[in-house]
Amino acid sequence: MNHTKGGLVIFTANSHPASRELGKRIAERLGVELGKVQVYQEANRETRVQIQESVRGKDVFVIQTVAKDVNTTIMEMLIMVYACRTSCARSITGVLPYFPYSKQCKMRKRGSIVSKLIASMMCKAGLTHLITMDLHQKEIQGFFNIPVDNLRASPFLLQYIQEEIPDYRNAVIVAKSPASAKRAQSFAERLRLGIAVIHGEAQDAESDQVDGRHSPPTVKTTGAIHPSMEIPLLIPKEKPPITVVGDVGGRIAIIVDDIIDDVDSFVAAAETLKERGAYKIFVMATHGILSSDAPRFIEESAIDEVVVTNTIPHELQKLQCPKIKTVDISMILSEAIRRIHNGESMSYLFRNIGVDD
């Protein structure tokens, strides 16, 4: 049954099997067929896109998941959007469940805000709307001069906790750093559970602490600075030893975050929680990038289960590590597409969503 008005075309912007699988699930829920398109790499590694049906005057939705080669992923998206624009599509909405380069959204020393560059490129290519999920920083929405719907995966993760963890009432929500405490608090309030925060880092060897590298200089060196412009010396930051604020003894620890990529910090957090008496440790996140040797590290760690959504393909990682579980979020993406195409309000998709999710 077709649940939308006419003039809707859905494309998947790459040939990755997981991307096409997500696209098929969304198309089935909407009662339409995936649009016909060829996306491939030529011998010289150039990306070629050939749209094989008319999109003139239609609402086009381009679904793109971030595969291993993120730069190719971006080019596929840009070229397909531009191809639809030059083919006179009425509107072009990008569906990027995970927004690439979202970690590079702040200015670093002699660096750049790459997320702003990617946003500008997408708008320039012809994107008229963006659907994404759990941006690393919500301020990224301001990088676009088009509407951005930042959906949330928290209802699906909360449902998983309630249905798949039988004794979740004996759990405590854990933030692996103070930066993720707000997200943990939001989860804890809706599940009516306690919260714990891991603070600090493993201390260096004693020889590293007394060699002067962690200490401010003893003599002020103003150099060529004018005396009236002398800058006060600041003591360098130094994190305290690892501490857990909150009781996890005899409890299930559920670590929540938005992205799991380099798992070293999660493994270290799990070891700390195990030492403090937690008897089961779960990790819940929206985006499971799980790059490099992450599956092996998870398998060998104290973590009992890692739960992520299918915003990013991770079938290979699941074969390497049975602890990785997947939550399907195609339902909310298909509903967002339907509402945008039919001109309906999006507020229903954000009901009971906290600001800190």
Side-chain angles (χ1 to χ4, degrees):
M1 179 180 177
N2 196 323
H3 301 286
T4 62
K5 299 176 183 177
L8 170 67
V9 181
I10 297 177
F11 292 122
T12 56
N14 66 28
S15 55
H16 194 283
S19 177
R20 294 197 63 81
E21 178 63 27
L22 180 61
K24 285 179 181 177
R25 290 188 181 191
I26 292 173
E28 286 174 3
R29 290 180 181 274
L30 293 171
V32 299
E33 296 289 335
L34 277 178
K36 298 179 177 62
V37 63
Q38 278 191 337
V39 182
Y40 58 93
Q41 308 296 316
E42 294 186 341
N44 62 354
R45 301 299 297 165
E46 288 185 359
T47 300
R48 176 79 66 173
V49 173
Q50 291 184 340
I51 297 174
Q52 298 176 320
E53 63 180 83
S54 174
V55 297
R56 182 179 294 273
K58 296 182 179 180
D59 292 332
V60 176
F61 292 82
V62 181
I63 301 170
Q64 178 67 308
T65 56
V66 178
K68 190 173 182 180
D69 189 349
V70 63
N71 296 322
T72 300
T73 295
I74 294 170
M75 285 306 301
E76 288 173 348
M77 181 74 179
L78 293 174
I79 294 172
M80 178 167 285
V81 169
Y82 188 65
C84 292
R85 175 188 175 186
T86 54
S87 297
C88 301
R90 181 172 65 181
S91 66
I92 308 167
T93 302
V95 183
L96 280 87
Y98 171 69
F99 185 72
Y101 283 95
S102 60
K103 286 186 176 181
Q104 299 188 47
C105 60
K106 294 182 180 180
M107 190 65 184
R108 304 294 182 187
K109 185 177 181 181
R110 298 188 180 91
S112 60
I113 305 175
V114 184
S115 293
K116 170 62 176 174
L117 172 63
I118 301 299
S120 300
M121 291 167 64
M122 289 182 176
C123 294
K124 189 68 175 177
L127 209 63
T128 60
H129 201 129
L130 178 68
I131 300 173
T132 187
M133 180 167 281
D134 282 341
L135 287 170
H136 187 56
Q137 296 289 339
K138 297 177 181 63
E139 292 78 7
I140 294 175
Q141 291 179 261
F143 295 163
F144 291 84
N145 55 14
I146 58 174
V148 177
D149 287 310
N150 182 25
L151 305 177
R152 306 293 197 276
S154 57
F156 298 92
L157 298 177
L158 290 167
Q159 183 181 26
Y160 184 94
I161 293 172
Q162 293 172 322
E163 295 179 356
E164 302 298 329
I165 304 178
D167 48 348
Y168 81 93
R169 289 293 181 189
N170 188 37
V172 59
I173 306 299
V174 179
K176 70 178 180 65
S177 67
S180 55
K182 287 186 176 181
R183 178 183 295 269
Q185 181 182 357
S186 178
F187 272 63
E189 287 175 351
R190 277 181 285 175
L191 291 169
R192 293 174 173 80
L193 299 176
I195 184 174
V197 180
I198 299 175
H199 180 52
E201 64 180 8
Q203 294 298 288
D204 299 323
E206 185 179 353
S207 59
D208 291 336
Q209 294 191 11
V210 299
D211 67 355
R213 287 182 291 175
H214 298 280
S215 305
T218 55
V219 181
K220 294 183 179 181
T221 55
T222 56
I225 299 178
H226 191 274
S228 63
M229 298 178 63
E230 184 176 332
I231 300 174
L233 276 176
L234 299 177
I235 299 175
K237 292 192 295 184
E238 185 173 339
K239 287 189 177 180
I242 289 181
T243 56
V244 179
V245 181
D247 181 22
V248 296
R251 313 282 289 277
I252 298 173
I254 304 176
I255 304 173
V256 296
D257 213 333
D258 62 328
I259 298 174
I260 302 179
D261 187 2
D262 181 5
V263 298
D264 288 347
S265 59
F266 291 95
V267 171
E271 291 175 356
T272 301
L273 293 170
K274 208 74 170 178
E275 292 172 0
R276 300 301 194 279
Y279 73 92
K280 267 190 179 180
I281 299 169
F282 291 80
V283 176
M284 316 282 294
T286 304
H287 309 296
I289 301 176
L290 301 168
S291 55
S292 189
D293 292 328
R296 179 172 62 85
F297 292 147
I298 292 170
E299 186 67 24
E300 297 171 355
S301 72
I303 298 171
D304 293 284
E305 196 168 285
V306 173
V307 183
V308 293
T309 70
N310 56 344
T311 56
I312 297 175
H314 54 267
E315 277 65 28
L316 182 60
Q317 290 90 330
K318 288 180 70 174
L319 293 175
Q320 298 171 346
C321 178
K323 292 181 180 181
I324 300 172
K325 308 296 180 183
T326 307
V327 174
D328 180 29
I329 44 81
S330 61
M331 184 275 288
I332 193 170
L333 294 176
S334 59
E335 182 63 15
I337 291 172
R338 189 192 68 80
R339 286 175 175 270
I340 290 173
H341 176 62
N342 293 343
E344 299 177 15
S345 171
M346 296 287 286
S347 60
Y348 176 79
L349 302 181
F350 294 94
R351 72 193 191 288
N352 300 325
I353 296 295
V355 177
D356 299 318
D357 279 13

